Amino acid sequence: MSATVLTTSALLLDMDGTLVNSDAVVERCWRRWALKHGLDPEAALKVVHGRQGYATMAVLLPDRPVEENYADNRVMLAEETADVDGVVPIGGAPAFMAAIADLPHALVTSADSALATARMGAAALPMPAVRVTAEQVGASKPDPEGFLKGAAELGFAAADCIVFEDSEAGIAAGRAAGMRVVGVGPRAAALSPDAHVEDLTQIRVEATGDGMIRLHISAA
């Protein structure tokens, strides 16, 4: 079996679709919202992943006042936070998080703090000490702000970090930040990340003697 080896100083981790499988909740909530607004739910689901809710709404309803998007987003976040039915860890996530526990890493998610806490808890995954949530950025992915803030909080240059992402918006954000990207799951497969895995069982983490992180990525 062939393997790709990537060496880095720090890891920046998306949550939904990367560490946590929350697709069931996302689809339930966004289908309801799309139908309420006379939109095709399937079309809505093609753009929802990776972005903050208000940014998705702006794509789907471009002529609607932004204030209405922010108001709807607050309702959506409350609904998603209360609904953790079917939220489970991505394959290999518990072992992966255990392997990086003492290594530089941060969560960079489009979820707000309450939603991130609810989903990581439902998936029984440890919450990273360093995290960048929706409240801490002024622009949603695909803007690179979140990843750049995560790198800065960890104390590393952008080029010295690797992003783990599943969505088009997230991978674009990582690239815009000047970082290498490991794509996770089916959505990432067609987006030409630097490496791709079906889930985190294909990753072996090695801490090198010089403070670096070596990722051994097995072929699917």
Side-chain angles (χ1 to χ4, degrees):
M1 180 180 290
S2 63
T4 299
V5 179
L6 300 176
T7 302
T8 187
S9 297
L11 306 175
L12 301 176
L13 313 172
D14 174 50
M15 181 180 69
D16 293 300
T18 301
L19 299 175
V20 172
N21 183 343
S22 56
D23 282 0
V25 179
V26 171
E27 291 190 10
R28 280 195 295 274
C29 292
W30 280 96
R31 282 182 188 280
R32 283 197 301 268
W33 183 88
L35 291 169
K36 179 180 176 182
H37 291 87
L39 300 172
D40 175 9
E42 298 305 321
L45 289 172
K46 288 179 181 177
V47 299
V48 67
H49 297 288
R51 293 180 172 87
Q52 290 190 42
Y54 74 85
T56 295
M57 294 168 189
V59 171
L60 296 170
L61 296 173
D63 298 325
R64 193 166 79 147
V66 66
E67 294 79 12
E68 292 184 34
N69 293 338
Y70 282 118
D72 262 14
N73 188 44
R74 287 191 290 272
V75 174
M76 177 71 73
L77 283 170
E79 289 180 357
E80 289 188 299
T81 302
D83 184 357
V84 293
D85 186 27
V87 174
V88 295
I90 292 290
F96 176 77
M97 294 301 287
I100 67 169
D102 297 324
L103 303 175
H105 70 282
L107 189 74
V108 181
T109 175
S110 293
D112 67 2
S113 182
L115 181 56
T117 299
R119 287 187 176 163
M120 292 291 280
L125 294 175
M127 178 65 81
V130 177
R131 48 194 178 269
V132 179
T133 56
E135 300 96 328
Q136 295 165 268
V137 297
S140 170
K141 299 171 186 177
D143 191 281
E145 181 185 1
F147 286 127
L148 292 172
K149 282 196 169 183
E153 286 199 35
L154 290 172
F156 293 99
D160 295 329
C161 299
I162 286 180
V163 165
F164 280 68
E165 264 287 2
D166 73 300
S167 70
E168 183 175 8
I171 289 174
R175 285 202 181 112
M179 301 171 182
R180 288 168 293 165
V181 179
V182 174
V184 180
R187 283 188 289 269
L191 301 172
S192 301
D194 294 278
H196 176 260
V197 295
E198 292 301 324
D199 63 25
L200 298 173
T201 62
Q202 292 172 241
I203 306 280
R204 182 170 66 83
V205 180
E206 177 191 2
T208 68
D210 57 357
M212 301 295 285
I213 302 168
R214 191 170 290 142
L215 302 174
H216 300 263
I217 303 169
S218 300

